[in-house]
Amino acid sequence: MVNPAVLHRTHYYTKLYIAHIHEKLHHGGTEIVVNELRQRVYIAKIRPAVKEVIARCARCLLRKARPAAPATGDLPAARLAYGARPFSFTGLDYFGPLEVTVARHREKRHVALFTCLTSRAVHLEVVVSLSTDSAINALRRFIARRGCPTELWSDNATLSRRRPRT
Protein backbone atom coordinates (compact mmCIF):
# COMPACT_ATOMS: atom_id res chain seq x y z
CA MET A 1 0.00 0.00 0.00
CA VAL A 2 1.11 3.50 -0.69
CA ASN A 3 -0.39 5.13 2.42
CA PRO A 4 -1.13 2.41 5.02
CA ALA A 5 -3.01 3.15 8.22
CA VAL A 6 -0.68 3.80 11.14
CA LEU A 7 -1.57 1.95 14.33
CA HIS A 8 -0.03 2.19 17.78
CA ARG A 9 1.32 -1.17 18.94
CA THR A 10 -0.08 -1.01 22.50
CA HIS A 11 -3.61 0.05 21.56
CA TYR A 12 -6.39 -2.41 22.39
CA TYR A 13 -7.86 -2.44 18.85
CA THR A 14 -4.42 -3.03 17.36
CA LYS A 15 -4.02 -6.13 19.52
CA LEU A 16 -7.50 -7.31 18.52
CA TYR A 17 -6.59 -6.86 14.84
CA ILE A 18 -3.32 -8.75 15.28
CA ALA A 19 -5.22 -11.56 17.06
CA HIS A 20 -7.76 -11.64 14.21
CA ILE A 21 -5.04 -11.95 11.57
CA HIS A 22 -3.27 -14.59 13.68
CA GLU A 23 -6.46 -16.69 13.83
CA LYS A 24 -7.25 -16.06 10.17
CA LEU A 25 -3.84 -17.50 9.29
CA HIS A 26 -4.66 -20.63 11.33
CA HIS A 27 -2.49 -19.59 14.29
CA GLY A 28 0.56 -18.92 12.15
CA GLY A 29 3.91 -17.89 13.55
CA THR A 30 5.36 -14.43 14.04
CA GLU A 31 6.81 -13.94 10.54
CA ILE A 32 3.64 -14.98 8.72
CA VAL A 33 1.50 -12.61 10.79
CA VAL A 34 4.03 -9.75 10.41
CA ASN A 35 4.11 -10.17 6.60
CA GLU A 36 0.31 -10.18 6.39
CA LEU A 37 0.00 -7.09 8.62
CA ARG A 38 2.61 -5.14 6.65
CA GLN A 39 0.52 -5.50 3.50
CA ARG A 40 -2.37 -3.65 5.14
CA VAL A 41 -1.18 -1.44 8.04
CA TYR A 42 1.94 0.12 9.56
CA ILE A 43 2.70 -0.68 13.20
CA ALA A 44 5.87 0.64 14.80
CA LYS A 45 7.83 -2.16 16.52
CA ILE A 46 5.54 -4.73 14.95
CA ARG A 47 7.40 -7.91 15.96
CA PRO A 48 7.18 -7.38 19.76
CA ALA A 49 3.48 -6.59 19.37
CA VAL A 50 2.84 -9.76 17.36
CA LYS A 51 4.91 -11.91 19.72
CA GLU A 52 2.96 -10.57 22.69
CA VAL A 53 -0.37 -11.47 21.08
CA ILE A 54 0.83 -14.93 20.01
CA ALA A 55 2.21 -15.59 23.51
CA ARG A 56 -1.27 -15.00 24.96
CA CYS A 57 -3.10 -17.13 22.39
CA ALA A 58 -4.74 -20.02 24.28
CA ARG A 59 -4.70 -22.42 21.32
CA CYS A 60 -1.02 -21.84 20.64
CA LEU A 61 -0.21 -22.33 24.32
CA LEU A 62 -2.02 -25.68 24.32
CA ARG A 63 -0.36 -26.78 21.09
CA LYS A 64 3.13 -25.94 22.35
CA ALA A 65 2.56 -27.40 25.84
CA ARG A 66 4.84 -30.22 26.92
CA PRO A 67 4.01 -32.75 29.61
CA ALA A 68 5.72 -32.05 32.89
CA ALA A 69 8.55 -34.38 33.80
CA PRO A 70 7.67 -36.39 36.90
CA ALA A 71 9.74 -35.68 39.95
CA THR A 72 11.82 -38.79 40.59
CA GLY A 73 14.35 -39.41 43.28
CA ASP A 74 17.86 -40.69 42.86
CA LEU A 75 18.33 -44.41 42.41
CA PRO A 76 19.79 -46.29 45.38
CA ALA A 77 23.37 -47.53 45.08
CA ALA A 78 22.09 -51.12 44.82
CA ARG A 79 20.42 -50.30 41.48
CA LEU A 80 23.67 -48.88 40.07
CA ALA A 81 26.06 -51.71 41.00
CA TYR A 82 26.66 -52.87 37.42
CA GLY A 83 29.88 -54.80 38.12
CA ALA A 84 28.40 -56.85 40.97
CA ARG A 85 27.34 -60.45 40.43
CA PRO A 86 23.61 -61.13 39.97
CA PHE A 87 21.50 -61.14 43.15
CA SER A 88 24.15 -59.31 45.20
CA PHE A 89 21.43 -56.78 45.94
CA THR A 90 18.12 -58.59 46.23
CA GLY A 91 14.54 -57.55 46.84
CA LEU A 92 12.12 -59.93 48.52
CA ASP A 93 8.34 -59.97 48.18
CA TYR A 94 5.54 -62.51 48.49
CA PHE A 95 2.51 -63.18 46.34
CA GLY A 96 -0.32 -65.66 46.47
CA PRO A 97 -1.97 -67.74 47.76
CA LEU A 98 -2.01 -70.18 44.87
CA GLU A 99 -3.83 -73.51 44.88
CA VAL A 100 -1.45 -76.44 44.34
CA THR A 101 -2.41 -80.10 43.94
CA VAL A 102 -0.63 -82.28 46.48
CA ALA A 103 -1.42 -86.01 46.13
CA ARG A 104 -5.20 -85.94 45.58
CA HIS A 105 -6.19 -82.73 47.34
CA ARG A 106 -5.51 -79.03 46.83
CA GLU A 107 -3.51 -76.86 49.23
CA LYS A 108 -2.74 -73.15 49.39
CA ARG A 109 0.85 -72.08 48.82
CA HIS A 110 2.57 -68.69 48.59
CA VAL A 111 5.53 -67.73 46.42
CA ALA A 112 8.59 -65.81 47.55
CA LEU A 113 9.74 -63.49 44.77
CA PHE A 114 13.45 -62.64 44.88
CA THR A 115 14.40 -59.84 42.47
CA CYS A 116 17.93 -58.79 41.53
CA LEU A 117 17.93 -55.01 41.95
CA THR A 118 20.73 -54.50 39.43
CA SER A 119 19.78 -56.73 36.50
CA ARG A 120 16.04 -57.12 37.31
CA ALA A 121 16.34 -60.93 37.17
CA VAL A 122 13.73 -62.94 39.09
CA HIS A 123 13.96 -66.05 41.28
CA LEU A 124 10.78 -67.76 42.56
CA GLU A 125 10.53 -70.05 45.60
CA VAL A 126 7.36 -71.85 46.67
CA VAL A 127 6.61 -71.30 50.38
CA VAL A 128 4.36 -73.56 52.45
CA SER A 129 3.05 -70.76 54.69
CA LEU A 130 3.80 -67.19 55.68
CA SER A 131 5.59 -68.25 58.86
CA THR A 132 9.12 -67.24 59.77
CA ASP A 133 10.36 -70.81 59.39
CA SER A 134 9.05 -70.99 55.82
CA ALA A 135 10.68 -67.67 54.99
CA ILE A 136 14.04 -68.84 56.39
CA ASN A 137 13.80 -72.09 54.43
CA ALA A 138 13.02 -70.17 51.22
CA LEU A 139 15.99 -67.86 51.87
CA ARG A 140 18.27 -70.88 52.46
CA ARG A 141 17.16 -72.47 49.17
CA PHE A 142 17.72 -69.15 47.40
CA ILE A 143 21.24 -68.80 48.87
CA ALA A 144 22.08 -72.38 47.90
CA ARG A 145 21.10 -71.68 44.30
CA ARG A 146 22.15 -68.03 43.74
CA GLY A 147 24.72 -67.26 46.43
CA CYS A 148 24.53 -65.08 49.51
CA PRO A 149 23.22 -61.55 48.80
CA THR A 150 25.10 -58.51 50.09
CA GLU A 151 21.85 -56.67 50.85
CA LEU A 152 18.32 -58.01 51.11
CA TRP A 153 15.53 -55.45 50.60
CA SER A 154 11.86 -55.87 51.44
CA ASP A 155 9.06 -53.29 51.18
CA ASN A 156 11.37 -50.27 50.71
CA ALA A 157 13.45 -51.20 53.76
CA THR A 158 16.78 -52.97 53.94
CA LEU A 159 16.51 -56.14 55.99
CA SER A 160 20.24 -56.49 56.52
CA ARG A 161 23.22 -54.40 55.53
CA ARG A 162 25.57 -57.33 56.09
CA ARG A 163 25.49 -60.88 54.82
CA PRO A 164 22.50 -62.82 56.19
CA ARG A 165 23.21 -65.91 58.32
CA THR A 166 22.70 -69.30 56.74
Side-chain angles (χ1 to χ4, degrees), residues 36-101:
E36 187 67 24
L37 287 170
R38 280 191 175 154
Q39 293 177 10
R40 296 191 169 95
V41 295
Y42 175 79
I43 302 171
K45 297 184 182 177
I46 191 170
R47 274 191 182 71
V50 171
K51 285 182 181 179
E52 182 181 336
V53 170
I54 291 175
R56 292 185 181 176
C57 177
R59 256 195 178 158
C60 293
L61 285 175
L62 283 174
R63 186 182 62 195
K64 292 177 185 175
R66 304 227 174 196
T72 57
D74 294 333
L75 290 174
R79 293 289 306 276
L80 302 173
Y82 294 114
R85 66 173 178 74
F87 294 99
S88 291
F89 302 96
T90 305
L92 171 62
D93 201 1
Y94 283 88
F95 69 89
L98 303 173
E99 287 200 7
V100 178
T101 303

Side-chain angles (χ1 to χ4, degrees), residues 64-139:
K64 292 177 185 175
R66 304 227 174 196
T72 57
D74 294 333
L75 290 174
R79 293 289 306 276
L80 302 173
Y82 294 114
R85 66 173 178 74
F87 294 99
S88 291
F89 302 96
T90 305
L92 171 62
D93 201 1
Y94 283 88
F95 69 89
L98 303 173
E99 287 200 7
V100 178
T101 303
V102 177
R104 292 187 176 179
H105 63 282
R106 299 178 67 76
E107 295 180 2
K108 289 184 179 179
R109 299 281 193 252
H110 290 79
V111 178
L113 173 71
F114 294 93
T115 307
C116 176
L117 298 178
T118 307
S119 67
R120 308 307 293 165
V122 174
H123 177 91
L124 302 174
E125 285 288 337
V126 178
V127 181
V128 177
S129 66
L130 294 177
S131 67
T132 305
D133 292 334
S134 293
I136 291 172
N137 288 336
L139 183 60

